[in-house]
Amino acid sequence: MRMKQAAAALALAVFAGVGAWVALGTGAALAPESTFVLLDGSRQSSADLRGKVTLVNFWATSCTTCVAEMPELMATHQKYHAKGFETLAVAMSYDPPNYVVNFAQTRKLPFKVAIDNTGAVAKAWGDVSLTPTTYLVNKRGEIVKSYVGSPNFHDLHQLIEKLLAET
């Protein structure tokens, strides 16, 4: 019974956090302003992603579901990247940076990988603590879908195609 209560409390906290981002009048949640530090040391901001449909995936090398979904994330990125789709994988603050670098290099991840050393990015995006947590952001910078756990990739692809077709 306690697990059900904890799960309900967590769900309410997540909804409350996402609700804080809701843009007045549109019903869409704005992606929070954040700066991502990429593996090569460069920085990318949320504002840099505007104009593209972007998948922001919070993950960890120690998360078996995260590791299992990576081939699907790679295939999704490769399928839609030329059409204006971006993928940004954000490694959690507890993930050792050398593990993240090794994972990205050995699996030849085709998308940008950031390390959230301080936990500030995860905090800004709704205090993310469960991995994988994934957000799909439209060209206007609005979060249109979020997933805790692995998404249904067939449904995700349909939504990406719809968002890419929007002007």
Side-chain angles (χ1 to χ4, degrees):
M1 186 64 160
R2 286 198 169 146
M3 287 191 58
K4 284 184 180 180
Q5 290 171 332
L10 177 62
L12 285 174
V14 169
F15 288 127
V18 170
W21 298 332
V22 173
L24 294 176
T26 65
L30 291 175
E33 288 303 319
S34 355
T35 300
F36 305 96
V37 179
L38 304 181
L39 291 184
D40 66 5
S42 66
R43 296 178 182 271
Q44 184 165 28
S45 72
S46 300
D48 296 333
L49 303 174
R50 295 234 168 79
K52 296 180 182 239
V53 175
T54 306
L55 188 82
V56 180
N57 174 258
F58 289 87
W59 69 291
T61 58
S62 59
C63 164
T64 56
T65 304
C66 301
V67 171
E69 78 175 0
M70 274 299 167
E72 286 278 6
L73 289 176
M74 292 169 64
T76 300
H77 177 80
Q78 290 168 330
K79 182 174 183 176
Y80 297 110
H81 182 68
K83 298 175 183 174
F85 176 75
E86 287 292 332
T87 305
L88 182 59
V90 182
M92 299 297 284
S93 62
Y94 55 80
D95 212 353
N98 59 321
Y99 286 22
V100 176
V101 170
N102 181 58
F103 187 96
Q105 288 175 345
T106 59
R107 287 162 178 86
K108 297 181 179 15
L109 297 183
F111 41 76
K112 295 173 182 169
V113 178
I115 298 179
D116 186 16
N117 286 327
T118 65
V121 176
K123 185 146 189 75
W125 284 74
D127 211 9
V128 174
S129 60
L130 300 175
T131 56
T133 295
T134 305
Y135 297 93
L136 186 60
V137 181
N138 68 15
K139 295 174 185 177
R140 293 179 302 280
E142 300 165 335
I143 297 171
V144 295
K145 185 80 174 172
S146 62
Y147 307 88
V148 177
S150 196
N152 174 315
F153 281 92
H154 178 266
D155 293 347
L156 174 63
H157 288 189
Q158 287 183 326
L159 184 53
I160 290 170
E161 288 171 14
K162 178 183 171 216
L163 295 174
L164 287 171
E166 291 178 354
T167 54

